[in-house]
């Protein structure tokens, strides 16, 4: 093979072999390029290829194209009447705590007296305190805080229980709900004034009213007649 034999010179045979080798190399190179082209077009990497377009058309859409934005979702609005009712309804106030002081609003105060008495007699009246709240509470019931006054028909002060014989005591009590406490007060049948310096006389017969007081709490007027 390396030493051709024939009637022609050896150079002729070498040239023929060289031409044949070039042709083989050209065929191999062209086949390789054609194969590479077909492979790249098949996997869709070639721009503009039919297969590449089909692949892109089957891509999974982005999440924001499938799930709507929360800003576009409308939440239901409660009825206006319900909102207005909730806004206008006041909070329930807390009641007094058990054992707290009895305020004037938590007690009732009244005067018990006979309907009438003879002028110059010594009738007994009562100052009545009632716990009207739903809880026990503390109240000072000292003698110095209690007072009864007698007023005539014109509203003039005729007598006061603390004018001439004031009393003192230390009497703070826990009043149960609905508990009633009565304090008797005897009237001597004579007029008086706060300094107890004016002459004391028997008031004339007529219609009067009795008014009670326990510290800052004042009772309604109770009618009373002297005959």
């Amino acid at each position: 093979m390396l030493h051709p034999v024939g009637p022609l010179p050896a150079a002729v045979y070498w040239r023929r072999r060289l031409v044949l080798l070039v042709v083989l190399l050209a065929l191999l190179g062209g086949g390789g390029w054609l194969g590479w082209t077909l492979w790249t077009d098949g996997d869709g990497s070639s721009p503009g290829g039919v297969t590449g377009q089909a692949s892109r058309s089957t891509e999974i859409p982005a999440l924001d194209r499938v799930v709507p934005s929360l800003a576009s979702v409308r939440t239901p609005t409660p009825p206006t009447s319900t909102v207005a009712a909730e806004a206008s309804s006041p909070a329930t106030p807390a009641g007094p705590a058990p054992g707290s002081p009895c305020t004037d609003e938590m007690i009732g105060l009244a005067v018990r007296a006979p309907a009438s008495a003879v002028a110059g007699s010594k009738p007994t009246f009562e100052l009545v305190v009632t716990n009207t709240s739903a809880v026990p509470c503390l109240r000072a019931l000292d003698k110095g805080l209690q007072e009864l006054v007698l007023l005539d028909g014109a509203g003039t002060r005729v007598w006061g229980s603390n004018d001439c014989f004031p009393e003192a005591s230390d009497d703070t009590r826990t009043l149960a709900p609905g508990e009633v406490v009565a304090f008797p007060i005897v009237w001597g049948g004579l007029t008086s004034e706060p300094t107890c310096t004016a002459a004391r006389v028997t008031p004339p017969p007529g219609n009067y009213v009795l008014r009670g007081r326990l510290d800052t709490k004042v009772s309604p007027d109770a009618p009373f007649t002297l005959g």
Side-chain angles (χ1 to χ4, degrees):
M1 292 296 294
L2 297 179
H3 301 282
V5 177
L8 299 177
V12 174
Y13 294 103
W14 283 111
R15 282 195 296 273
R16 291 177 180 178
R17 292 179 178 180
L18 182 61
V19 171
L20 180 60
L21 181 61
V22 170
V23 172
L24 290 175
L25 291 175
L27 290 175
L28 291 176
W33 176 84
L34 180 60
W36 172 258
T37 302
L38 292 176
W39 182 78
T40 55
D41 287 343
D43 64 0
S45 60
S46 176
V50 177
T51 307
Q53 293 179 357
S55 175
R56 286 194 298 273
S57 65
T58 59
E59 290 179 356
I60 299 175
L63 183 60
D64 58 357
R65 299 179 186 175
V66 178
V67 181
S69 172
L70 292 178
S72 64
V73 178
R74 300 183 62 184
T75 56
T77 303
T80 305
S81 59
T82 303
V83 176
E86 292 177 355
S88 61
S89 59
T92 303
S100 60
C102 298
T103 64
D104 287 349
E105 291 72 25
M106 297 170 66
I107 62 170
L109 189 66
V111 176
R112 289 178 186 166
S116 63
V118 178
S121 64
K122 298 180 179 180
T124 298
F125 309 129
E126 286 185 325
L127 186 65
V128 182
V129 182
T130 306
N131 179 4
T132 59
S133 73
V135 296
C137 59
L138 293 171
R139 184 75 184 203
L141 305 176
D142 304 351
K143 289 289 186 181
L145 300 177
Q146 304 172 23
E147 184 179 29
L148 281 180
V149 294
L150 182 69
L151 307 172
D152 63 16
T156 303
R157 190 176 188 276
V158 176
W159 164 80
S161 59
N162 292 341
D163 291 345
C164 298
F165 306 102
E167 297 183 60
S169 67
D170 185 6
D171 187 3
T172 299
R173 304 187 193 183
T174 298
L175 301 177
E179 183 176 356
V180 178
V181 182
F183 299 95
I185 298 174
V186 179
W187 176 38
L190 301 176
T191 61
S192 67
E193 46 84 27
T195 63
C196 201
T197 56
R200 305 185 66 193
V201 298
T202 301
N207 294 324
Y208 297 84
V209 295
L210 285 161
R211 184 177 300 165
R213 179 180 65 84
L214 177 64
D215 196 10
T216 54
K217 179 73 173 182
V218 178
S219 74
D221 292 344
F224 177 67
T225 302
L226 280 177

